[in-house]
Amino acid sequence: MQRTISRRDVCKYSALSLLGASASGWLPTIAARAGQSDTKKNRNCILLWMSGGPSQMETFDPKVGHENGGPTRSIETNVPGVRIGENLPMTAQVMDHLAVVRSMSTKEGDHSRATYFMHTGYLPQGPIRYPTVGSFLSKELSNEECDLPAFVSVNPFQAFSPAAYGPGFLGPAWSPLVVASQMTGEDAEAQQVSFEVSNLKRSGQVTQAQANARLQLLTSLEHDFLKNRPGGPGRSHVQSYQQAIRMMESGAVDAFSLDSEDDTLRDAYGRNPFGQGCLLARRLIETGVSFVEVNLSSADGAGGGARWDTHQDNFEAVSSLCGVLDPAYATLITDLEHRGMLDDTLVVWMGEFGRTPKINENTGRDHWPKSWSAVLAGAGVKGGQTYGSTSEDGTEVTNDPMTAQNLMATICKALNLDHDVTNYSNVGRPIPLSDHGSEPIQSLLS
Amino acid sequence: MLVNVRFSEDLVVRYVFLMTIVIMAGNGADGADPAHEAAVTIDRLFQAAWKRDQVTPAGRAEDAEYFRRLYLDLAGRIPAVSEVRDFLADDSDDKRSRAVTTLLDSPASVRHFTTSLRNAFIPQANSQPQFRALIPGFEAWLWQRISEGRPYDQIVHDIISTELNAGAGAALSATTSPDAFFVVRELKPENLAAGTARAFLGVRLDCAQCHDHPFDGWSQQQFWNMAAFYSGFSQPDDQDADNPLLTQPMTEKTDKRAISIPGTEDIVPAIYLTGLEPDWTDPSRTPRQMLADWIVDSQNAWFAKMAVNRLWAQFFGRGIVDPVDDVSDNNPASHPKVLDLLAQEFVTSGFDVKHIVKIITATNVYQLSGRQTHVSQDEPTHFARAALRGLTPEQFFDSVAEAVGYYQPYRSDNPFVVDMNSPRAQFLNLFRNNTESPLERETTILQALAMMNGTFINNATSIDDSQTLRAIAEFPAMGNDQKLETLFLSALGRRPAPEEQLRFGEYLSSGGATDDSKAALADVFWALLNSSEFLLNH
């Protein structure tokens, strides 16, 4: 096939229509999916991920009066009879929106395997590359009008298990846009957290016509090279360029700029990367993004480290982490509520596992998958309740044990999704959103 | 023996053709080449496997395709325009094997192997920012040994048995030493046991730390037997969780040969993974020396296999066992005999990495084209066509620099000190990818944006700022065809195909979108630098 590209040709098209016009198939088009979007408004999800495994006993399942409980006291919440750890006073005031699952019970006590398990709902096994929760949920929830990727991940800490954060067999179209926070400002005191997406603007030296011509030249190169070189890296390359170009042409990226937000609200979230990340999550959901994951793994709120992994000095470490978590989490819930978004937005709080009830010789707590807590709030969730419980010493689930698979099924149901919906895996086997045999827990749902 | 009656005619023709080429190559300058013999055997094993699995392999890679791949795999960057021109112009039969030999002795190759081994030995330095400061000291140490041609077993032995700069505190991290291997594992016996097994033996013991792992056949006891070799380290009293770089002085008791399993009363002695007990009759040998002796022993089947498997993966994007550091019954080798043969060659050559590289690059398997001719080539475990694979961040930036003519300023006193604000450091950060396999490499949106709009590429494709581009644009003796050819050679290491010549030539002569022939040239260069052909290995 011979094609020549004239100046007249390239001026006719915008960059996007160029990509759309490429019928040659090297750009499996977003447009093809557009027809499938239905009129019903889809729900959205925000995952607050606590990398390292937060202590349930210092957060949502305090054990006051037992030696395993340590010095942590409990406080009242705005739901009579429900008490949580003293580290979360603001969260206690939104308890009426929360459903605290105190009976999470899993078997994975290794960071890598547990991170993979809780992010995908499946254990790493054989050649199947399971997609991360943000990928498979955003695939179901996404709406085609949004010019941003359906899945955005803020400050992820991926070192424990890189595969737990990827789209797996769903492919690069469902990869997260990973956004890292930056600190801007000369003065150390007055530093601001920002989330600018770099390089979104074309250089001023390049005209629109020239940019279109460049893309058309690129399209022809890609077509020739990739037509007989199938494989993931080539597909990913093309799709990322396609998404990047769509973002460049869209005003939706304004969502990343927090400057237009009220100062009081920004303060309430906490002027740190996690607090501002939660605010960003709300703005992204407003813009049409379907799934936002915000990671909290260090007391400065940034993505580095895994400070919830409190083998030493558990009480001090959890207290300082909660100093970041508490205002951000509580403000996110109230902010979503005030804007009428909470009914359509599910907020999930969890880590990969809990901590040992028994306090170790370093005043720390080690890995504990047997009995721990996770929290749901918002869309589809019946708030103001606890689900399941643990024994006085915290070592056993005493009723309503909750598996990772049932939690995943419950999350699907809360989002109005059928957890039995399957995707074809890379080995050609249909894989349901949550594993075979899992069931949503009805009493958690409204 | 060449012709098997059950081969399809097509296969036989291809086989004879390929074998002829190999034999011709082998009869080149240096006569009977031991690497060549092994390569022929490997090709025979692959032929048999393809036949068994009804796979039709791809055709042989053309010179330009082969040369670019060889440069990326061996020198960590794409070839320069002049290097491609020379190679394409050379019509001798043994030019491919000569290119391998030349490259193996090049500084770029030493640098590339240094980076690869560093990634394998201290992967934490990539994934955890707090350990990045350890990279220069560790790389400088490795670089020195690789450039001196030290055998692989010696390098590994030196790492495990190194005398740590104990008591030096913060200085530990800044020295030219293998200490980083210990620092990234926080001097913890359990981390060091798991890291040693994984980096040097390809065995994942990690899961046996907390419980028996019957799945893989490792018991918790065996795990701690291994950890016991590293049990002599004192942990700093005042451990600062925020500062794992060990600013506190540490000591090591070299007579400690047992460790207690945490949470139990059990104290277990240092015993090798095979169950063999160390012979402690020489009291001057420390536990780490004893461990190092056993790890690199030629009788240790894991050690050589792991090393050659990782080398194989460097040239193909996946190991014969893949992931390379997961040797277990549940993860069988795709071509076990090939692995055995390479491991045997590695041992008999005295753990000579260059020998293995010569074998691998001499195989027809390595010299296959990436162009698909049959669907059976798509299964990566068949190695039936060159896979599309991602570049490492280092390969990526060094290739971009080569293509655009960017001079990389190194500090002469220590080339491993990285200026975090340099374009290289910024690109390494942005292109540090999180997928485990290069065959699953994903381009991120942020990477695409940096390539399309970022300052570095923008300058490289600007007539005002790019030396290379201006040199081509303003060179009076060059016609459009030659300019186009030079751009293709710079970025893709090949000449444009006839239809590309036509299409891009037309664009250039029409003045492009801006009626400016120089700007049109910049547009072409931009498209080339953003293409997957440029940004991937194939």
Side-chain angles (χ1 to χ4, degrees), chain A residues 2-3 7 149 158 162 175 178 199 203 210 213-214 220 222 224 228 230 233 236-237 240-241 243 248 307, chain B residues 242 370-372 385 434 439 442-443 445-446 450-451 453-454 458 502-503 507 513 515 523 526 530 532 535:
Chain A
Q2 284 181 6
R3 282 165 297 155
R7 181 180 170 212
Q158 306 183 344
S175 291
V178 174
N199 301 315
S203 154
Q210 205 179 353
R214 289 177 167 196
S220 70
E222 293 299 76
D224 290 350
N228 45 26
S236 168
H237 181 262
S240 297
Y241 270 71
Q243 286 184 316
M248 282 169 64
R307 297 287 174 258
Chain B
D242 290 325
R371 193 180 291 268
Q372 185 204 49
R385 88 180 156 86
N434 287 310
L439 304 189
E442 294 200 350
T443 306
I445 293 170
L446 299 180
M451 288 305 292
N453 304 325
N458 194 47
L502 195 70
R503 194 190 316 148
Y507 185 77
D515 260 341
D523 294 341
W526 182 95
N530 277 280
S532 45
L535 292 164

Side-chain angles (χ1 to χ4, degrees), chain A residues 206-259:
Chain A
V206 179
T207 66
Q208 179 70 52
Q210 205 179 353
N212 292 347
R214 289 177 167 196
L215 284 173
Q216 192 153 353
L217 294 171
L218 175 61
T219 305
S220 70
L221 280 169
E222 293 299 76
H223 174 264
D224 290 350
F225 180 71
L226 293 175
K227 69 182 174 202
N228 45 26
R229 286 179 182 80
R235 207 166 57 235
S236 168
H237 181 262
V238 166
Q239 281 174 345
S240 297
Y241 270 71
Q242 188 183 35
Q243 286 184 316
I245 291 160
R246 191 169 176 195
M247 274 173 72
M248 282 169 64
E249 304 228 316
S250 159
V253 290
D254 290 346
F256 288 98
S257 165
L258 305 181
D259 293 340

Side-chain angles (χ1 to χ4, degrees), chain B residues 116-338:
Chain B
S116 305
L117 282 186
R118 185 259 296 163
N119 271 325
F121 294 163
I122 55 166
Q124 295 89 340
N126 248 348
S127 56
Q128 298 174 45
Q130 74 267 31
F131 293 130
R132 296 220 174 113
L134 298 169
I135 292 177
F138 192 75
E139 284 201 344
W141 184 88
L142 270 179
W143 179 86
Q144 195 175 8
R145 271 148 193 80
I146 294 170
S147 59
E148 289 167 6
R150 298 268 189 98
Y152 177 78
D153 60 328
Q154 233 184 67
I155 294 176
V156 172
H157 195 283
D158 285 355
I159 292 175
I160 299 172
S161 62
T162 185
E163 216 165 294
L164 286 159
N165 295 303
L172 186 64
S173 61
T175 52
T176 298
S177 77
D179 291 3
F181 181 81
F182 297 83
V183 179
V184 297
R185 294 168 178 93
E186 297 171 67
L187 287 182
K188 290 182 178 162
E190 60 272 31
N191 295 356
L192 287 163
T196 302
R198 200 149 162 169
F200 305 129
L201 307 179
V203 172
R204 293 193 185 183
L205 282 182
D206 319 33
C207 292
Q209 180 178 340
C210 308
H211 48 85
D212 288 352
H213 215 249
F215 213 46
D216 282 342
W218 301 115
S219 70
Q220 190 186 12
Q221 171 118 0
Q222 279 175 302
F223 177 88
W224 290 98
N225 286 144
M226 180 89 165
F229 287 100
Y230 289 112
S231 62
F233 296 116
S234 68
Q235 295 298 319
D237 292 336
D238 184 20
Q239 205 168 21
D240 180 353
D242 290 325
N243 187 0
L245 294 182
L246 299 173
T247 49
Q248 307 290 320
M250 48 71 64
T251 56
E252 184 181 8
K253 281 195 219 147
T254 51
D255 58 352
K256 201 155 175 265
R257 299 170 188 168
I259 194 167
S260 58
I261 301 182
T264 72
E265 306 287 300
D266 304 345
I267 294 178
V268 301
I271 297 177
Y272 301 129
L273 268 188
T274 46
L276 190 73
E277 294 201 28
D279 174 6
W280 297 106
T281 46
D282 179 355
S284 71
R285 303 292 287 165
T286 68
R288 286 199 283 121
Q289 285 170 335
M290 294 295 285
L291 177 63
D293 291 350
W294 174 78
I295 293 275
V296 307
D297 194 286
S298 57
Q299 300 298 307
N300 184 345
W302 287 302
F303 179 66
K305 273 193 199 176
M306 170 60 179
V308 297
N309 188 43
R310 189 159 49 216
L311 282 170
W312 184 273
Q314 181 177 329
F315 287 84
F316 290 90
R318 70 169 285 133
I320 295 172
V321 172
D322 199 83
V324 291
D325 57 0
D326 190 9
V327 177
S328 85
D329 292 345
N330 302 305
N331 188 33
S334 58
H335 300 78
K337 284 181 182 163
V338 174

